[in-house]
């Protein structure tokens, strides 16, 4: 598709990713751009959630999406269909994005051309948690079929996320998923985490999520 | 729990993981031990599948399980309850196991004390695919809620697996999961892949899986 640009991102040349991430965060702040780093396991519904999010906010803000994938273009094509700017970041087998790779994406989107930039990180609960991308905020999706015990098994991911979306709540009746336990385990890892149950398929909970995002985007524009 | 030993595995000192993996594979062959490397996303049902597998084969073979986790003991405890030897490998934040880390686990199990050793790798579809653990065979679990498009997005994982178990087939009615497309995509990545639909929760399909495993274990003992 013509409206999907594919970028083969290069490994960072910076010694310290953390320092570089802080630098990117400052650049974003200077240009009034809010960057969300969205993480999850494979198949938890990142792309469907993103499509709902775009639908809710695209008339209010200029949105740009970076789709990080090892080597497919499946998601960027789906996002481009929503009408917002979407670019594909190919990590060349890498399991995460670092700040410099993210910067290459932000540059392609045009830092002054978007109010709300979204990085859909590689589907992985381990490595993306270890690399600060320079995003303004981190969010993750945990889907009901994955189980409520995941905060016990992937502690770092839950501890670095400002928001945890609990997706696929429509299938709760068919799984042994304990929402109270899930909340308890998430807050154990991160007492400040905002937890929002959603169903990206039906749109349930998207209002609350869009409201939180709007507040962050407005904050970034101040 | 007293019957769960926790090993903090060290990074490999070997320059070439591939060479070391071949060496471990030879050691296993020499002692007649079959080692299965079981991989999947977080929450696809590795531990439940393992419990079913153990139930089906523990009267026939001496089984030992290595549970790789970033830092929890949740799974090793669940496995130890089945009565087989279970050890916990802590990767210290690492997103995969390499051959030397696997060897440390096999040594703890006792290479001559087990016919069938199982490595439950870190929940991750990216990094574990890149590191040969020295296992005799690789298997992965894809669960229905993750979606039938995953072979398109995580090509390497599907291409290195001898068997793909498609788990949670009991919830197919509640998801947009196309089994024919899933088979097609898997075989596109790996024409030799054996595909076995299962439901670890109800036991459906476990017979076929246990039969395949028995053939491999017998082959290793020759």
């Amino acid at each position: 598709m013509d409206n999907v640009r594919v970028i083969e991102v290069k490994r960072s040349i910076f010694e310290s990713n953390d320092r570089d991430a802080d630098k990117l965060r400052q650049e974003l702040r200077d240009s009034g751009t809010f960057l969300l780093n969205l993480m999850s396991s494979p198949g938890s519904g990142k792309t469907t959630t993103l499509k709902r999010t775009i639908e809710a906010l695209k008339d209010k803000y200029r949105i740009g999406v970076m789709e990080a994938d090892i080597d497919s273009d499946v998601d960027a094509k789906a996002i481009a269909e929503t009408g917002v700017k979407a670019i594909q970041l190919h990590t060349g087998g890498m399991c995460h994005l670092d700040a410099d790779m993210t910067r290459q994406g932000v540059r392609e989107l045009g830092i002054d051309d978007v109010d709300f930039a979204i990085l859909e990180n590689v589907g992985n609960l381990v490595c993306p948690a270890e690399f600060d991308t320079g995003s303004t905020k981190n969010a993750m999706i945990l889907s009901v079929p994955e189980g409520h015990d995941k905060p016990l098994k992937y502690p770092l991911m839950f501890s670095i996320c400002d928001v945890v979306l609990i997706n696929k709540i429509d299938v709760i009746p068919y799984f042994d998923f304990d929402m109270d336990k899930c909340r308890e385990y998430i807050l154990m890892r991160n007492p400040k985490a905002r937890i929002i149950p959603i169903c990206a398929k039906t749109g349930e909970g998207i209002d609350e999520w869009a409201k939180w995002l709007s507040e962050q985007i407005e904050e970034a524009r101040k």
Side-chain angles (χ1 to χ4, degrees), chain A:
Chain A
M1 278 178 51
D2 289 346
N3 50 348
V4 176
R5 233 186 111 80
V6 178
I7 317 289
E8 311 287 336
V9 287
K10 307 283 186 304
R11 249 169 219 263
S12 173
I13 50 158
F14 287 83
E15 257 181 64
S16 158
N17 182 61
D18 284 350
R19 207 163 48 213
D20 191 31
D22 286 339
K23 194 164 161 273
L24 176 58
R25 214 163 0 250
Q26 187 57 50
E27 291 161 16
L28 290 160
R29 198 175 295 135
D30 293 344
S31 76
T33 304
F34 172 69
L35 171 60
L36 181 79
N37 174 23
L38 183 62
M39 296 170 284
S40 83
S41 291
S44 65
K46 281 193 298 301
T47 310
T48 313
T49 303
L50 261 187
K51 284 168 77 176
R52 285 278 180 191
T53 307
I54 291 166
E55 208 177 277
L57 296 173
K58 75 173 176 176
D59 294 337
K60 238 169 120 188
Y61 303 110
R62 296 171 303 163
I63 301 176
V65 178
M66 299 173 274
E67 287 288 337
D69 256 308
I70 302 169
D71 78 354
S72 87
D73 304 338
V74 183
D75 295 339
K77 286 179 182 171
I79 294 300
E81 284 166 14
T82 65
V84 303
K85 193 164 181 183
I87 61 168
Q88 182 73 52
L89 302 178
H90 277 176
T91 64
M94 288 272 284
C95 49
H96 65 274
L97 285 191
D98 63 19
D100 192 53
M101 293 154 95
T102 307
R103 178 181 285 108
Q104 294 169 49
V106 169
R107 200 168 287 156
E108 278 297 319
L109 283 179
I111 196 166
D112 293 322
D113 300 335
V114 289
D115 307 307
F116 178 23
I118 307 165
L119 170 64
E120 183 178 331
N121 215 313
V122 180
N124 181 336
L125 289 189
V126 187
C127 323
E130 291 167 15
F131 291 84
D132 189 343
T133 58
S135 64
T136 324
K137 295 279 177 183
N138 292 321
M140 72 162 292
I141 304 177
L142 171 69
S143 66
V144 164
E146 294 169 60
H148 57 255
D149 62 342
K150 290 301 157 290
L152 301 180
K153 299 191 58 190
Y154 301 91
L156 186 62
M157 177 57 79
F158 287 85
S159 70
I160 63 151
C161 279
D162 301 283
V163 178
V164 179
L165 300 175
I166 303 182
N167 192 22
K168 306 191 189 180
I169 54 171
D170 58 322
V171 296
I172 283 184
Y174 315 114
F175 289 90
D176 304 323
F177 186 90
D178 187 325
M179 185 64 86
D180 292 336
K181 276 225 167 69
C182 190
R183 282 181 187 275
E184 180 193 326
Y185 294 157
I186 293 169
L187 296 174
M188 206 165 90
R189 294 302 177 202
N190 181 3
K192 290 183 183 165
R194 173 81 174 259
I195 301 169
I196 308 179
I198 65 166
C199 175
K201 203 166 144 190
T202 63
E204 199 180 338
I206 296 296
D207 281 355
E208 186 183 346
W209 165 232
K211 187 166 172 284
W212 182 86
L213 285 170
S214 295
E215 288 162 9
Q216 310 304 317
I217 299 166
E218 294 299 335
E219 182 64 34
R221 293 166 100 185
K222 272 179 192 164

